[in-house]
């Protein structure tokens, strides 16, 4: 990685952010695909560490959490090795600033749900209203992380229509027929009980990250590379991209989620992000 110029490394990272495959980035930047993979790992690890340190004491007051499915190597029903199968990304987003304050890549289990909620609770400076889907592990995990009545928490359960004209096993979006809202603890405001923003961010992740694209052979072959790719995506979302709604609210001034939360005063460039990987750079405490 050190043998490449900053401009070349930035071109590779832009390809990763925009969802291009390793081979496509290799062709576009005339960089060996093993070098592209090395940059993915190094930049992904940096993005995860940097955000784990920087996204603390956040002023968020409305949080939405959800999970998005993917797989590594093969789908769960078709896997032939222990390192293959379904892989889930838990996400938690601030509904006001659109900041992705944390995420977790792993299996969809009670242990990971608890770990995710502990991480969310540890990053906040205020009492929050929290909305999640009806995954059964959430209520206990939220109570364990925040304490009883430590936040205003509600769940949303969506029921989907079953269309028997679609062949079994064929993916197609289902129509929502009913939504059930359950207030679990505290006093959540009914009008703010929603997972719409975090679900929209899931759509962005699936559209912009090649590893989440359905019905292709672009899926991850290693869980570690998958996690690195997710970290780069959320670094771009939080720091490197101006958000349309936030920019409009700022009367046209390019604004990122990190700016709204006071983590930076401008939208970063890829080159600026890469400069923070230098050994002489220190993250402010």
């Amino acid at each position: 990685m050190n043998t490449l110029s900053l401009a070349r490394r930035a071109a590779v990272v832009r390809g990763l952010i925009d969802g291009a495959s390793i081979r496509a980035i290799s062709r576009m930047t005339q960089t060996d695909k093993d070098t592209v993979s090395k940059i993915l790992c190094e930049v992904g690890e940096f993005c995860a560490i940097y955000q784990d340190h920087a996204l603390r004491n956040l002023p968020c007051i409305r949080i939405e959490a959800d999970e998005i499915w993917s797989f590594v190597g093969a789908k769960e029903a078709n896997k032939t090795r222990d390192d293959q199968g379904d892989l889930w990304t838990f996400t938690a987003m601030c509904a006001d600033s659109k900041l992705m304050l944390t995420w977790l890549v792993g299996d969809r289990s009670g242990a990971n749900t608890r770990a995710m909620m502990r991480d969310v609770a540890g990053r906040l400076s205020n009492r929050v209203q929290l909305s999640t889907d009806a995954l059964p592990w959430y209520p206990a995990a939220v109570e364990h992380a925040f304490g009883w009545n430590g936040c205003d928490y509600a769940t949303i359960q969506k029921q989907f229509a079953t269309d028997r004209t679609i062949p079994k096993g064929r993916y197609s979006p289902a129509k929502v027929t009913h939504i059930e809202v359950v207030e679990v603890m505290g006093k959540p405001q009914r009008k703010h009980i929603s997972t719409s923003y975090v679900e929209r961010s899931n759509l962005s992740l699936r559209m912009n990250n090649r590893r989440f694209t359905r019905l292709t052979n672009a899926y991850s072959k290693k869980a570690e590379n998958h996690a690195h790719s997710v970290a780069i995506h959320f670094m771009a979302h939080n720091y490197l991209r101006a958000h349309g709604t936030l920019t409009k609210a700022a009367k046209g001034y390019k604004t990122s989620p990190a700016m709204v939360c006071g983590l930076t005063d401008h939208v970063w460039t890829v080159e600026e992000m890469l400069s923070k990987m230098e050994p002489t750079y220190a993250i402010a405490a």
Side-chain angles (χ1 to χ4, degrees):
M1 180 173 175
N2 292 331
T3 61
L4 295 182
S5 66
L6 177 60
R8 188 96 159 270
R9 282 184 286 148
V12 170
V13 174
R14 287 191 184 93
L16 294 171
I17 290 172
D18 289 337
S21 67
I22 297 293
R23 286 183 172 82
I25 295 170
S26 176
R27 292 192 297 270
M28 290 187 296
T29 63
Q30 297 184 337
T31 304
D32 184 78
K33 66 182 181 66
D34 290 338
T35 302
V36 175
S37 296
K38 184 179 179 182
I39 292 174
L40 166 69
C41 294
E42 292 181 350
V43 175
E45 184 175 6
F46 163 76
C47 290
I49 294 172
Y50 184 95
Q51 292 180 98
D52 180 56
H53 183 95
L55 303 183
R56 299 283 178 178
N57 198 33
L58 299 171
C60 309
I61 57 174
R62 289 196 295 137
I63 305 298
E64 300 178 7
D66 198 19
E67 323 84 49
I68 180 172
W69 171 84
S70 56
F71 65 92
V72 170
K75 295 179 182 178
E76 194 69 25
N78 302 323
K79 70 178 185 179
T80 57
R81 303 196 310 263
D82 290 340
D83 60 350
Q84 296 178 337
D86 293 351
L87 194 64
W88 291 81
T89 302
F90 290 77
T91 57
M93 169 175 273
C94 172
D96 298 305
S97 68
K98 310 305 184 290
L99 183 81
M100 187 60 67
L101 58 140
T102 191
W103 62 93
L104 185 151
V105 178
D107 61 330
R108 199 185 194 196
S109 64
N112 278 338
T113 307
R114 291 191 296 273
M116 177 68 177
M117 287 298 105
R118 285 196 302 270
D119 194 19
V120 171
R123 296 180 183 277
L124 302 168
S125 61
N126 304 309
R127 181 184 178 92
V128 299
Q129 175 163 329
L130 173 64
S131 301
T132 71
D133 61 22
L135 187 68
W137 296 300
Y138 271 127
V142 171
E143 181 180 350
H144 182 265
F146 289 89
W148 179 248
N149 280 335
C151 69
D152 303 308
Y153 172 49
T155 64
I156 300 173
Q157 183 170 10
K158 296 179 180 178
Q159 295 180 3
F160 298 91
T162 301
D163 189 346
R164 298 186 181 276
T165 64
I166 299 174
K168 185 177 179 181
R170 180 78 175 271
Y171 172 75
S172 180
K175 181 180 179 181
V176 176
T177 59
H178 178 71
I179 297 177
E180 181 181 0
V181 175
V182 178
E183 298 180 13
V184 180
M185 67 183 186
K187 296 181 179 180
Q189 297 182 42
R190 194 83 177 181
K191 65 180 180 179
H192 292 317
I193 300 174
S194 173
T195 55
S196 296
Y197 290 122
V198 72
E199 288 174 0
R200 179 60 182 83
S201 77
N202 287 346
L203 174 61
S204 295
L205 177 58
R206 199 171 289 286
M207 291 175 64
N208 295 333
N209 191 314
R210 185 67 173 156
R211 296 166 187 270
F212 285 80
T213 305
R214 293 182 184 271
L215 305 179
T216 73
N217 62 355
Y219 53 85
S220 295
K221 312 307 185 291
K222 295 181 180 179
E224 294 82 0
N225 289 352
H226 190 90
H228 292 321
S229 180
V230 170
I232 293 173
H233 172 84
F234 287 136
M235 188 72 154
H237 169 83
N238 286 336
Y239 286 91
L240 276 67
R241 285 178 174 155
H243 191 282
T245 301
L246 302 178
T247 298
K248 184 177 180 180
K251 299 182 179 179
Y253 186 78
K254 299 292 186 181
T255 304
S256 67
M259 292 170 64
V260 176
C261 289
L263 302 171
T264 183
D265 59 0
H266 63 284
V267 177
W268 289 5
T269 63
V270 173
E271 289 81 0
E272 181 178 1
M273 181 192 74
L274 292 175
S275 71
K276 299 181 188 302
M277 294 178 62
E278 298 300 326
T280 54
Y281 180 82
I283 303 174

